[in-house]
């Protein structure tokens, strides 16, 4: 595997379900990110991890819970989501966070909440 | 609110023409600028980055940066139908806590259509 991978690629879940999104980067990077992309809106940064520590949480509802067990893996745990949470969830990584390195994106998880 | 603005388009150009995509940003402290291409249903793919004023060329792509005017553009020469995509401008904007805390802020993207 190369670059940034994400699983699953598609997910349909009910509002009472609990599911997790997984991201893995094979680039040796130190920073990882979760973004949400909804139709007609810019990419929204949700969470940033640098060296496994959360450094940014952009006022994201608590029904989204990130986890970063090591610098290569990032999870987004989902529970009691709302239909408006349906979107493309993108994971990205960069060499470091505190300097302005370019970010590389995974293929995304298309989430539908029914 | 620190913002990145792009014309949403669609921008339609004939095959072989030059496509010009523009972006303005509000934070004078921004130091790095990126262009991503996103095909429908796919994730953003980095195509260019630029840090210094002036032009940076990579194949058919040229990024232009003017920090005084807070303006960055992407030129695509000899446009091909395969260039049809949404182009996202992204700017590293200094976070609210200042210092070296940067946040990559995206514009809404410009939809480019290259007609055969």
């Amino acid at each position: 595997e190369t670059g940034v991978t994400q699983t699953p690629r598609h997910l349909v879940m009910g509002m009472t379900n609990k599911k997790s999104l997984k991201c893995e980067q094979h680039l040796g990077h130190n920073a990882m990110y979760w973004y949400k992309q909804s139709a007609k809106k810019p990419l929204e940064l949700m969470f940033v991890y640098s060296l496994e520590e959360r450094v940014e949480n952009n006022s994201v509802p608590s029904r989204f819970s990130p986890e970063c067990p090591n610098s290569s893996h990032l999870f987004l745990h989902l529970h009691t989501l709302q239909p408006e949470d349906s979107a493309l969830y993108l994971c990205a990584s960069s060499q470091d966070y505190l300097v302005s390195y370019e970010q590389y994106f995974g293929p995304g998880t298309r989430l539908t909440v029914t | 609110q620190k913002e990145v603005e792009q014309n949403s388009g669609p921008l339609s150009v004939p095959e072989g023409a030059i496509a010009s995509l523009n972006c303005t940003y509000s934070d004078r402290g921004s130091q790095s600028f990126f262009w991503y291409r996103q095909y429908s249903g796919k994730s953003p793919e980095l195509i260019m980055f630029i840090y210094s004023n002036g032009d940076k060329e990579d194949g058919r792509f040229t990024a232009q940066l003017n920090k005084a005017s807070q303006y960055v553009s992407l030129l695509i020469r000899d446009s091909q139908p395969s260039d049809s995509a949404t182009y996202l401008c992204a700017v590293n904007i200094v976070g609210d806590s200042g210092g070296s805390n940067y946040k990559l802020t995206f514009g809404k993207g410009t939809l480019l259509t290259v007609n055969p």
Side-chain angles (χ1 to χ4, degrees), chain B residues 55-116:
Chain B
D55 294 1
K56 178 181 179 182
E57 188 174 318
D58 183 1
R60 295 186 296 111
F61 298 97
T62 299
Q64 298 175 318
L65 175 61
N66 183 327
K67 289 186 180 180
S69 300
Q70 296 175 236
Y71 176 94
V72 57
S73 64
L74 179 70
L75 301 178
I76 306 175
R77 289 182 301 281
D78 188 25
S79 295
Q80 301 297 309
S82 58
D83 294 326
S84 298
T86 296
Y87 288 81
L88 305 175
C89 172
V91 177
N92 252 328
I93 288 179
V94 178
D96 292 337
S97 55
S100 55
N101 180 14
Y102 290 93
K103 175 179 169 180
L104 193 61
T105 301
F106 286 82
K108 291 184 179 180
T110 298
L111 176 62
L112 172 66
T113 301
V114 181
N115 301 307

Side-chain angles (χ1 to χ4, degrees), chain A residues 74-88:
Chain A
L74 186 64
F75 294 88
L76 188 63
H77 304 298
L78 316 171
H79 64 98
T80 58
L81 295 192
Q82 304 298 310
E84 60 265 28
D85 297 322
S86 299
L88 180 66

Side-chain angles (χ1 to χ4, degrees), chain A residues 35 37 40-43 45 56 58 88 90 97-107, chain B residues 31-32 34 36 38 41-44 46 49 51 88 92 100-104 106-108:
Chain A
Y35 286 89
Q37 189 174 37
K40 308 291 185 187
K41 288 186 179 182
L43 276 163
L45 179 65
E56 187 136 355
N58 272 10
L88 180 66
L90 292 159
Y97 173 63
L98 291 180
V99 291
S100 51
Y101 285 110
E102 58 271 23
Q103 294 181 19
Y104 296 90
F105 285 85
Chain B
Q31 296 185 19
S32 49
F34 307 89
Y36 287 83
Q38 187 173 23
K42 303 294 185 182
S43 63
L46 180 68
F49 57 87
Y51 301 142
L88 305 175
N92 252 328
S100 55
N101 180 14
Y102 290 93
K103 175 179 169 180
L104 193 61
F106 286 82
K108 291 184 179 180

Side-chain angles (χ1 to χ4, degrees), chain A residues 4-89:
Chain A
V4 182
T5 58
Q6 289 185 244
T7 55
R9 298 291 305 276
H10 300 273
L11 178 62
V12 179
M13 59 186 289
M15 290 191 285
T16 58
N17 291 158
K18 289 185 181 181
K19 296 287 185 183
S20 295
L21 309 184
K22 178 183 175 182
C23 175
E24 183 173 0
Q25 57 95 3
H26 310 268
L27 300 168
H29 287 169
N30 293 321
M32 296 186 77
Y33 310 78
W34 279 117
Y35 286 89
K36 175 183 178 183
Q37 189 174 37
S38 306
K40 308 291 185 187
K41 288 186 179 182
L43 276 163
E44 300 171 55
L45 179 65
M46 299 175 73
F47 301 104
V48 181
Y49 277 83
S50 176
L51 297 171
E52 301 139 48
E53 281 194 32
R54 191 190 308 183
V55 295
E56 187 136 355
N57 174 356
N58 272 10
S59 302
V60 179
S62 59
R63 58 186 183 268
F64 296 91
S65 175
E67 178 190 2
C68 187
N70 55 62
S71 59
S72 299
H73 294 85
L74 186 64
F75 294 88
L76 188 63
H77 304 298
L78 316 171
H79 64 98
T80 58
L81 295 192
Q82 304 298 310
E84 60 265 28
D85 297 322
S86 299
L88 180 66
Y89 288 85

